[in-house]
Amino acid sequence: MAPPFAGLGPVAGGGRARAVAELRRGLPVVLADGTVAAIVAAAEAAEPEAAERLHALMGTPARLVLTARRARALHLRETGEEAVAVALPERLDPTLIHALADPTRDLENPLRGPFAVVSDVPQTLAAGAVQLCKAARLLPAALVAV
């Protein structure tokens, strides 16, 4: 089995341990796969300005990346991949992000779907973002802007 993040790494130095620590503090990190990079923030730490900041930094809309298992529980389209990227509304609603990411909130917040599964986040970065969140002992869900 390949180690987590094989071929992936934070761009700005510090390595995996630093990235995990930053995510736990609620800060975004940069994850790279060759020439493609993404800014990753833990979905658990989503705040109203999080997606707007990611969009401003990368110039692309933020996506919510979930595990395939969570995507199945939410009845999202199957992709056959380890992680699934979901398009978010233009105005980020932290309650919606937390409801999608956190299975313990399924009964508290009826979901307002349907949600579109997108393929504009490279699978290596999507899976790496989920693995980073898991390593940080956070919900395995991330906001990602590529």
Short mmCIF file of all heavy atoms in Angstrom, two decimals, residues 8 31 33 121-129:
data_model
loop_
_atom_site.label_atom_id
_atom_site.label_comp_id
_atom_site.label_asym_id
_atom_site.label_seq_id
_atom_site.Cartn_x
_atom_site.Cartn_y
_atom_site.Cartn_z
N LEU A 8 2.15 13.74 -3.32
CA LEU A 8 1.48 14.98 -2.96
C LEU A 8 2.25 15.66 -1.85
O LEU A 8 2.90 15.01 -1.05
CB LEU A 8 0.06 14.71 -2.45
CG LEU A 8 -0.94 14.17 -3.45
CD1 LEU A 8 -2.23 13.83 -2.74
CD2 LEU A 8 -1.20 15.17 -4.54
N LEU A 31 -1.95 22.18 -1.31
CA LEU A 31 -1.63 20.80 -1.64
C LEU A 31 -1.32 20.76 -3.13
O LEU A 31 -2.03 21.38 -3.92
CB LEU A 31 -2.83 19.91 -1.31
CG LEU A 31 -2.63 18.41 -1.29
CD1 LEU A 31 -1.63 18.01 -0.22
CD2 LEU A 31 -3.96 17.73 -1.01
N ASP A 33 0.09 18.47 -6.69
CA ASP A 33 0.31 17.22 -7.40
C ASP A 33 0.99 17.58 -8.71
O ASP A 33 0.32 17.93 -9.68
CB ASP A 33 -1.00 16.50 -7.63
CG ASP A 33 -0.81 15.21 -8.41
OD1 ASP A 33 0.31 14.68 -8.44
OD2 ASP A 33 -1.80 14.73 -9.01
N VAL A 121 -12.00 18.85 -9.88
CA VAL A 121 -10.94 18.71 -8.87
C VAL A 121 -10.22 17.40 -9.17
O VAL A 121 -10.83 16.34 -9.14
CB VAL A 121 -11.52 18.69 -7.44
CG1 VAL A 121 -10.41 18.48 -6.42
CG2 VAL A 121 -12.30 19.96 -7.14
N PRO A 122 -8.91 17.46 -9.49
CA PRO A 122 -8.18 16.22 -9.76
C PRO A 122 -8.32 15.24 -8.60
O PRO A 122 -8.23 15.63 -7.43
CB PRO A 122 -6.74 16.68 -9.94
CG PRO A 122 -6.83 18.12 -10.32
CD PRO A 122 -8.05 18.64 -9.60
N GLN A 123 -8.54 13.97 -8.92
CA GLN A 123 -8.79 12.97 -7.89
C GLN A 123 -7.64 12.87 -6.89
O GLN A 123 -7.87 12.68 -5.70
CB GLN A 123 -9.07 11.60 -8.53
CG GLN A 123 -9.50 10.54 -7.57
CD GLN A 123 -10.69 10.89 -6.68
OE1 GLN A 123 -10.77 10.43 -5.55
NE2 GLN A 123 -11.62 11.69 -7.15
N THR A 124 -6.40 13.02 -7.34
CA THR A 124 -5.27 12.94 -6.41
C THR A 124 -5.37 14.04 -5.35
O THR A 124 -5.10 13.81 -4.17
CB THR A 124 -3.92 13.04 -7.13
OG1 THR A 124 -3.92 14.22 -7.95
CG2 THR A 124 -3.65 11.81 -7.97
N LEU A 125 -5.77 15.24 -5.77
CA LEU A 125 -5.90 16.35 -4.82
C LEU A 125 -7.13 16.17 -3.94
O LEU A 125 -7.08 16.46 -2.74
CB LEU A 125 -5.96 17.68 -5.57
CG LEU A 125 -4.68 18.08 -6.30
CD1 LEU A 125 -4.89 19.36 -7.08
CD2 LEU A 125 -3.52 18.23 -5.32
N ALA A 126 -8.23 15.70 -4.51
CA ALA A 126 -9.45 15.48 -3.72
C ALA A 126 -9.20 14.43 -2.64
O ALA A 126 -9.51 14.64 -1.47
CB ALA A 126 -10.60 15.05 -4.64
N ALA A 127 -8.61 13.30 -3.04
CA ALA A 127 -8.33 12.24 -2.07
C ALA A 127 -7.29 12.71 -1.05
O ALA A 127 -7.40 12.41 0.15
CB ALA A 127 -7.84 10.99 -2.80
N GLY A 128 -6.29 13.46 -1.50
CA GLY A 128 -5.28 13.99 -0.58
C GLY A 128 -5.87 14.94 0.44
O GLY A 128 -5.49 14.93 1.61
N ALA A 129 -6.83 15.77 0.02
CA ALA A 129 -7.48 16.70 0.93
C ALA A 129 -8.26 15.95 2.01
O ALA A 129 -8.19 16.28 3.20
CB ALA A 129 -8.41 17.63 0.16
#
